[in-house]
Amino acid sequence: MPAEEIESVSLPVGWKSYISPEGRKYYVNTSTKETTWERPSTSTTSPKASGSHQHSGKISHCELTFLCFISPQINCVTFPVSMSAPEQQLLKPSEWSYCDYFWADKRDPQGATVSGFEVLLQKQLKGKQMQKEMAEFIRERIKIEEEYAKNLSKLSMFPMAAQEEGTLGEAWAQLKKSLADEAEVHLKFSSKLQCEVEKPLLTFRGDNFKKDMKKYDHHIADLRKQLVSRYAAVEKARKALADRQKDLEVKTQQLEIKLSNKTEEDIKKARRKSTQAGDDLMRCVDLYNQGQSKWFEEMVTTSLELERLEVERVETIQQLLRQYTTLRHETDMFNQSTMEPVDQLLQSVDPAKDRELWVKEHKTGDLRPVDMDI
């Protein structure tokens, strides 16, 4: 399979060099489709002018077929031969980038084939679902805060122990009031949660996000379908070449052993058809390579965009969850402040003073009984 082009600038006009899957360099004339193992000289123009079509270095159609199919094709995508090809370098080494690890297809638990790009898309859609569930979780937290605040406010108005007197009565009244203050703190907390955490979670990447993902999906899927179609054309052309080669071989053998009255003209005709079939195969392979190159480029570009979107999602949610913890710490601080007046009054509770105040208000007389005189 022709691999990446190299040294094309220093070659004669119309020639390009490729690396075969086993690592051997070969050359192709883009105009005439002549293929040879030997590097063409600057005087090489065409097969007829240079006579290179008879050169021992010319690649035969059998070798051409071998070149096209020595690399494994998996689901119509061509991969290098693991044992013979030089080890590929990662596009973004040490980054665990999406563009390096999702080229092959895989099987899902139901046995269906899933492309690497579909795996990346599923990650994006799953992230959107996780974001939605986080927003629902915060909504439940808000409901709890609102219900808690409502119950605290209600409890603060209960007339229980309202007749307690003295310094203890003042502390008790302040404790009940602190419940109302605490209820207000939790109401504010729930309101801030809604505005600063829940709402941003819901609005981050709105309805257009799934539409954008579908566009990516359709674009890459269309390129993959085109690749499948071109691979089928290569297969068809390869089979046609094999048939033409077999027909030429049979006619040649029959002529040599004089089992047929086929003339050399018939042989030349068969040879021309075989050559044409080889040219057709080269053209199909070239179209296939162009299609795979386009698919490769779009896969890299799109996977890097999905990677950027995932980083953005994680960092955004991280920021929102940090805001949650900040609000939670503030709530604790405000709750603590509601207890400070209670603490102060509790420190001022004085049983002796309470007794004095109560006695002054409720005394019935300070004359004590004495013995009876007769």
Side-chain angles (χ1 to χ4, degrees):
M1 190 76 185
E4 57 181 297
E5 299 177 23
I6 59 172
E7 302 178 347
S8 295
V9 176
S10 60
L11 291 171
V13 177
W15 286 89
K16 291 185 179 181
S17 60
Y18 297 85
I19 296 296
S20 69
E22 70 274 19
R24 187 178 177 187
K25 188 187 300 182
Y26 66 99
Y27 303 88
V28 177
N29 187 305
T30 57
S31 298
T32 65
K33 303 303 180 184
E34 177 191 356
T35 309
T36 178
W37 291 114
E38 295 191 3
R39 181 186 180 90
S41 64
T42 55
S43 61
T44 303
T45 57
S46 68
K48 292 182 179 180
S50 64
S52 60
H53 63 297
Q54 296 177 346
H55 198 284
S56 60
K58 182 174 175 60
I59 298 178
S60 68
H61 287 145
C62 290
E63 290 176 311
L64 174 60
T65 305
F66 173 75
L67 281 173
C68 290
F69 294 96
I70 189 171
S71 294
Q73 278 83 29
I74 303 176
N75 292 338
C76 303
V77 178
T78 303
F79 292 94
V81 180
S82 301
M83 299 302 293
S84 61
E87 182 178 354
Q88 290 182 334
Q89 295 297 317
L90 295 175
L91 298 176
K92 299 183 73 175
S94 73
E95 293 189 29
W96 291 97
S97 175
Y98 286 176
C99 67
D100 279 317
Y101 296 98
F102 294 90
W103 293 107
D105 299 336
K106 63 180 294 186
R107 296 280 185 181
D108 66 12
Q110 289 71 40
T113 300
V114 179
S115 70
F117 187 75
E118 288 179 283
V119 174
L120 292 176
L121 279 181
Q122 289 171 3
K123 170 64 174 173
Q124 292 293 315
L125 297 177
K126 181 180 178 181
K128 178 67 175 175
Q129 179 62 26
M130 295 301 98
Q131 169 193 330
K132 179 182 177 183
E133 292 182 13
M134 288 179 185
E136 291 173 352
F137 181 89
I138 298 299
R139 165 45 50 187
E140 291 302 314
R141 183 73 169 91
I142 291 171
K143 288 180 180 179
I144 291 173
E145 288 296 321
E146 291 174 342
E147 186 67 20
Y148 184 52
K150 177 182 177 181
N151 289 334
L152 283 177
S153 180
K154 183 179 180 181
L155 181 61
S156 69
M157 293 184 290
F158 280 10
M160 295 176 177
Q163 296 180 359
E164 182 61 58
E165 301 173 315
T167 57
L168 181 60
E170 292 176 358
W172 173 249
Q174 184 61 44
L175 187 147
K176 290 174 62 179
K177 181 179 181 302
S178 72
L179 294 185
D181 295 337
E182 187 179 352
E184 184 66 24
V185 169
H186 284 277
L187 274 179
K188 289 181 178 179
F189 176 49
S190 66
S191 178
K192 288 185 176 182
L193 276 183
Q194 183 178 14
C195 296
E196 300 177 24
V197 182
E198 182 200 17
K199 187 176 179 180
L201 277 173
L202 288 173
T203 57
F204 176 62
R205 294 183 182 166
D207 297 335
N208 290 331
F209 178 74
K210 289 187 177 181
K211 294 180 181 179
D212 292 339
M213 293 302 103
K214 285 185 178 180
K215 288 180 181 178
Y216 288 138
D217 188 18
H218 291 161
H219 180 55
I220 297 299
D222 288 345
L223 290 175
R224 187 68 181 270
K225 289 176 182 176
Q226 183 186 69
L227 192 61
V228 171
S229 175
R230 292 186 176 183
Y231 177 77
V234 170
E235 281 283 309
K236 183 178 179 180
R238 182 186 66 83
K239 185 178 183 301
L241 174 59
D243 292 342
R244 292 299 182 186
Q245 288 174 334
K246 184 177 180 181
D247 180 58
L248 175 59
E249 183 179 353
V250 170
K251 289 181 178 179
T252 302
Q253 290 176 352
Q254 289 177 345
L255 181 63
E256 289 176 352
I257 61 177
K258 303 188 184 300
L259 292 178
S260 173
N261 294 325
K262 298 292 183 182
T263 64
E264 284 198 32
E265 186 62 33
D266 294 327
I267 301 299
K268 289 180 180 179
K269 183 178 179 180
R271 186 175 290 113
R272 283 196 300 270
K273 289 183 178 180
S274 179
T275 301
Q276 180 61 46
D279 292 342
D280 290 342
L281 177 57
M282 284 293 291
R283 179 181 59 81
C284 290
V285 168
D286 188 46
L287 287 174
Y288 170 85
N289 284 339
Q290 290 177 23
Q292 183 167 258
S293 178
K294 178 64 176 175
W295 172 73
F296 172 84
E297 292 171 1
E298 292 300 314
M299 273 286 292
V300 172
T301 301
T302 309
S303 62
L304 288 177
E305 174 62 14
L306 296 183
E307 183 177 301
R308 184 194 68 79
L309 289 173
E310 177 62 9
V311 171
E312 180 184 61
R313 183 188 76 88
V314 171
E315 290 179 346
T316 298
I317 293 179
Q318 177 192 35
Q319 182 179 358
L320 292 174
L321 295 184
R322 281 178 174 171
Q323 181 62 15
Y324 170 87
T325 60
T326 298
L327 293 175
R328 185 69 183 81
H329 290 317
E330 288 179 355
T331 300
D332 289 341
M333 182 181 66
F334 291 141
N335 278 336
Q336 184 63 33
S337 68
T338 64
M339 299 309 298
E340 290 175 0
V342 179
D343 288 337
Q344 292 174 359
L345 288 175
L346 286 174
Q347 291 176 1
S348 301
V349 170
D350 185 348
K353 185 175 182 180
D354 285 359
R355 184 173 64 253
E356 176 187 348
L357 293 173
W358 185 84
V359 168
K360 285 181 178 180
E361 182 177 357
H362 299 284
K363 65 183 179 178
T364 58
D366 53 3
L367 292 177
R368 298 182 299 279
V370 297
D371 291 342
M372 179 185 297
D373 290 334
I374 298 178

